[in-house]
Amino acid sequence: MTDMTQQNRTQSPESAAEPSVQTRKTTRRGGGDPATRGRTTIADGVVEKIAGMAARDVLGVHAMGGGLSRTFGAVRDRVPGGASKSVTRGVKAEVGEVQTALDLEIVVDYGVSIGDVAKAVRENVVAAVERMTGLEVVEVNIAVSDVKLPEEEDEEPEPRIQ
């Protein structure tokens, strides 16, 4: 190599004219994106409430839960100061870190296609739980425990006092 080529490699015209400026590199403390710091856990009850609300929104679902749980729920609802209608009645969730599985017990209205109602409940529950929690719903098991006949009285009659 010639001396001129060596000189061009070690010193460019721009770097010879400008003084050396030191820049301070900005560093983030804690490392990484702030949104990825820490863990989020979701309680079983949260997923149960979301699933219960989503299932009740489906046309053809008369009630949630089996006969005994609905009876106890009706009694509890009538007690002054008792909890309002339980959204989680008839819903059981198992929640992991990234997945959840649900068991639902429903009562359907007479005359509707049970298969269609179950499919609609499954779709609505999966969409609501995945959208709101970010968890993957691996299964939604549905047990139809009763059919509400048109002439049957509701187990939760209207209150006499308004």
Side-chain angles (χ1 to χ4, degrees):
M1 265 191 210
T2 64
D3 288 330
M4 188 60 148
T5 309
Q6 185 67 26
Q7 187 180 10
N8 286 345
R9 285 189 179 175
T10 58
Q11 183 179 12
S12 67
E14 294 90 20
S15 65
E18 293 180 14
S20 174
V21 178
Q22 245 181 355
T23 58
R24 185 171 177 192
K25 197 176 204 178
T26 57
T27 58
R28 283 189 174 160
R29 294 180 189 235
D33 180 24
T36 61
R37 296 180 198 171
R39 263 177 38 166
T40 302
T41 56
I42 300 171
D44 293 0
V46 172
V47 174
E48 289 170 356
K49 282 184 180 182
I50 294 167
M53 291 297 294
R56 282 176 175 79
D57 284 344
V58 175
L59 193 62
V61 174
H62 177 75
M64 300 288 296
L68 190 58
S69 71
R70 288 196 330 265
T71 302
F72 282 130
V75 170
R76 185 178 57 240
D77 292 346
R78 288 191 196 123
V79 175
S84 60
K85 186 175 180 183
S86 177
V87 179
T88 60
R89 187 180 311 146
V91 183
K92 178 69 180 134
E94 293 179 28
V95 181
E97 287 191 27
V98 294
Q99 295 179 327
T100 186
L102 294 151
D103 294 321
L104 281 75
E105 189 173 356
I106 66 173
V107 176
V108 297
D109 290 321
Y110 177 80
V112 299
S113 166
I114 293 174
D116 291 346
V117 170
K119 179 181 176 194
V121 166
R122 212 172 262 113
E123 289 172 351
N124 211 31
V125 167
V126 168
V129 170
E130 288 185 347
R131 178 179 50 82
M132 292 182 70
T133 66
L135 296 169
E136 177 191 3
V137 178
V138 292
E139 66 181 9
V140 178
N141 299 312
I142 299 173
V144 178
S145 61
D146 201 359
V147 174
K148 168 66 172 78
L149 299 175
E151 65 272 0
E152 286 181 338
E153 288 185 25
D154 279 340
E155 292 169 359
E156 300 174 31
E158 292 293 317
R160 293 188 296 173
I161 302 172
Q162 297 275 335

